[in-house]
Amino acid sequence: MPARNLWSDAGAATAVERYGAAGVSEALALRTYTARLLGSDPDLVLHGGGNTSVKTSVSGLLGEAIPVLCVKGSGWDLATIEPPGHPAVRLEPLVALRALAALSDEDMVAAQRQNLIDPAAPNPSVEALLHAFLPHPFVDHTHSIALLALADQPDAEAVCRRIYGDRVAIVPYVMPGFALAKAAAEAYEASAARAAARGLELEGMVLLQHGLFSFGATAKQSYGRMIALVGEAERALDQVERSFQPRPLPSPAAPAAALLPLLRGALGRAAGAQGLACRWLLDLRADGPALAVVNDQRLADWASRGVATPDHVIRTKARPLVLPPAPPAGDAEALSAWAAAAEQALAAYISEYQAYFARQNARVGGIKKALDPLPRVLALPGLGLIGVGASAVAASVTADIAGAWAATLLAAEALGSFRPVGEDDTFDMEYWSLEQAKLGTGSEKPLARQVVLVTGGAGGIGAATARAFAAQGADLVVLDLDGEGAGATAAACGPLALGLGCDVTDPVAVRAAIAAACAHFGGLDIVVSNAGAAWSGPIAQLPDADLRASFELNFFAHQHVAQAAVAVFEAQGFGGQLLFNVSKQALNPGPAFGAYGIAKAALLALMRQYSLEGGSQGIRANGLNADRIRSGLLDDTMIQERAAARGLTEEAYMGGNLLGQEVRASDVAGAFVALARMERTTGALLTVDGGNVAAMVR
């Protein structure tokens, strides 16, 4: 989509008013406003990339005015940045650093932190000195896709001069940090003098193979210049024709639901061999640029070229893993052969990465510690580009950047040739401690990397269970006959959680839903088979239709879900879990509840059978024996009726157990999570009923 100037005088005034009410200056309010405009356009900025600044002043303890640089801080994303995301740093000490001949990264970071107005503020951007050394109040920096298509050309300087003339400074590639800040300042001053001699004003600065800067006296001017410069690059690219060299591919090819679990399993085995966590999530992109790249005969060559901008390498590594083309749909033998070939390609990638690290580490004196060698982007002809991450969000971020790489590459190839930075510079950025720090090293939650599917997810127990797993770090798929309710539960479980309407009594619908889950996340790890409903009436008078309906939902639906899930577990090859909501009725049947209790007793036997047959493959099956939980099954009306029939208050009825306490849906949810974390337990039935002697397992 072409870059559009989204500045609005009314929007700017609203930002000034809103932030001003919290004591934020007009300059910082407008800085925040235009930074968010830039961050809202993925063709300009992706996931923490880019940076912005404003030079202003703050009041010291004695009321003195202190000139400061408010520059984007580490951990902030321009799309959602707020005023604290531009921490204030004393400007004069930063500018004075330019007199140094050299400055180590450690000293640069220390100097910036020592001059923070708020010592608790995040680290300023690694490019803070570049912003400080430029004279303009407002400075913007993006990794525009269109600009990178120009800046990644072999003759990039000539290309940029042809388009921009003397209105921009051009800086040859220098790794970010102090050296780049000095080089950019020198290029700026020389270009500004040249532009002034011709009656022009310098509007921006192109960092070859890196990105674009704009600057101005006001936030509106700097932002407007960024959009205008990007627009000129886009128009230049619109004038060139793109050629494609499609490779022959089967039609139809095997779908994502068949291929991604196999890839997830291969990644897991490779990760395990490296001593890493074996579960990774996948995010498939099959839009125009992604398919144009992966389906082109030049894919292997293109994949070897490198990243569009070195800033991306920490998330994508230097190149994607090129996989064999997708096999034909419905051909089991071809699918098996493809899986073996994909595993070989992955092993070769890991060996090549290790060789890359060895030779580059030798170049820098053997001082680096190797990162894991797993690919983060997979290029699969016939399917698309696949992001790999430790969570759905991480995989999505990587896939977004892979998509930007594809768009940049195609545009650059149409214009001339895509030639980003070489291996040495890529390695230096990938192993730069200040870049790696952006990824963070926090510990993972207990169920991170797990994809969990919950049926009956719109009901009380299902929704509570989905939320409980999400709180433990899992990524969620929520199924319910009520699709809208499933979507609402999913929305509460994270931005990428998947909510689907599904009739679990229909095996075709179940297989389709689990296929959708695999296409969305790459696979499946845990199933909470929870959906159920009760049919009542004396068993001797019970219509066959009611008993059959109960078995369809309370037994066969669980079998449909378990069968489809186990097929995925087997494709992945690293086990999985089946968790069933069995109910106390399986052990302690109640009068007139035979239709429900008999089906649940069969479900208990089903759980045990799966534990028996799945154990050798690492597939665990366990169940919960819950009772008297407020839900769609036991609603307020039924609670009132049962309490009245027993001559009890509702509170006494719901607390009719050894503990004398009502058992909540959240208690059941917590028990499901506990079972999921009991790695050496299978075939177990865990009681969650406050204490009911008649329903005790032993």
Side-chain angles (χ1 to χ4, degrees), residues 291-316:
L291 288 174
V293 168
V294 301
N295 291 345
D296 197 285
Q297 296 182 35
R298 295 164 289 183
L299 171 61
D301 173 34
W302 287 348
S304 70
R305 303 275 186 89
V307 290
T309 176
D311 294 64
H312 292 168
V313 71
I314 59 171
R315 296 188 185 275
T316 65

Side-chain angles (χ1 to χ4, degrees), residues 10-52:
T14 298
V16 170
E17 180 180 1
R18 178 163 68 92
Y19 291 128
V24 175
S25 69
E26 179 176 333
L28 184 54
L30 291 173
R31 172 67 289 167
T32 305
Y33 171 66
T34 53
R36 290 172 71 104
L37 294 183
L38 292 173
S40 69
D41 186 346
D43 285 346
L44 297 177
V45 172
L46 279 175
H47 302 296
N51 40 69
T52 49

Side-chain angles (χ1 to χ4, degrees), residues 349-363:
Y349 181 99
I350 290 171
S351 294
E352 290 166 9
Y353 184 89
Q354 291 168 334
Y356 152 77
F357 174 78
R359 64 177 173 268
Q360 285 295 327
N361 196 35
R363 176 181 65 85

Side-chain angles (χ1 to χ4, degrees), residues 136-424:
H136 295 273
F138 288 86
V139 178
D140 297 341
H141 172 40
T142 73
H143 299 136
S144 155
I145 288 174
L147 185 281
L148 287 173
L150 311 183
D152 282 337
Q153 294 293 320
D155 57 345
E157 182 169 0
V159 171
C160 292
R161 281 279 172 245
R162 186 167 68 247
I163 294 170
Y164 297 122
D166 288 331
R167 293 180 295 117
V168 300
I170 296 179
V171 186
Y173 180 79
V174 178
M175 185 171 164
F178 180 70
L180 174 60
K182 288 197 68 168
E186 292 165 3
Y188 170 85
E189 290 165 357
S191 298
R194 187 163 53 248
R198 300 186 57 192
L200 301 173
E201 184 178 359
L202 208 60
E203 300 173 19
M205 181 164 56
V206 175
L207 275 56
L208 298 183
Q209 300 167 310
H210 180 154
L212 177 66
F213 277 78
S214 65
F215 24 72
T218 66
K220 183 177 183 178
Q221 183 182 50
S222 184
Y223 170 73
R225 285 174 168 174
M226 175 62 70
I227 301 304
L229 292 169
V230 171
E232 289 181 71
E234 291 173 338
R235 288 188 288 277
L237 294 170
D238 287 342
Q239 296 172 12
V240 296
E241 293 187 10
R242 302 189 180 189
S243 64
F244 300 97
Q245 299 178 20
R247 69 170 71 213
L249 293 166
S251 182
L259 301 179
L260 296 188
L262 294 172
L263 288 175
R264 194 165 182 247
L267 283 166
R269 287 184 289 278
Q274 300 292 324
L276 305 169
C278 72
R279 284 178 166 81
W280 297 80
L281 279 82
L282 309 180
D283 190 308
L284 170 66
R285 300 301 166 87
D287 56 10
L291 288 174
V293 168
V294 301
N295 291 345
D296 197 285
Q297 296 182 35
R298 295 164 289 183
L299 171 61
D301 173 34
W302 287 348
S304 70
R305 303 275 186 89
V307 290
T309 176
D311 294 64
H312 292 168
V313 71
I314 59 171
R315 296 188 185 275
T316 65
K317 294 199 179 290
R319 64 180 183 86
L321 163 61
V322 177
L323 292 162
D331 187 332
E333 185 176 342
L335 182 63
S336 179
W338 177 87
E343 198 130 11
Q344 291 173 359
L346 174 58
Y349 181 99
I350 290 171
S351 294
E352 290 166 9
Y353 184 89
Q354 291 168 334
Y356 152 77
F357 174 78
R359 64 177 173 268
Q360 285 295 327
N361 196 35
R363 176 181 65 85
V364 298
I367 60 174
K368 300 295 184 180
K369 180 180 179 181
L371 300 170
D372 80 74
L374 298 181
R376 293 301 190 273
V377 178
L378 315 178
L380 204 173
L383 195 65
L385 288 170
I386 303 163
V388 178
S391 66
V393 168
S396 176
V397 168
T398 302
D400 284 346
I401 295 173
W405 169 78
T408 304
L409 183 150
L410 292 170
E413 285 289 295
L415 184 66
S417 180
F418 176 63
R419 297 293 171 185
V421 298
E423 181 180 292
D424 291 359

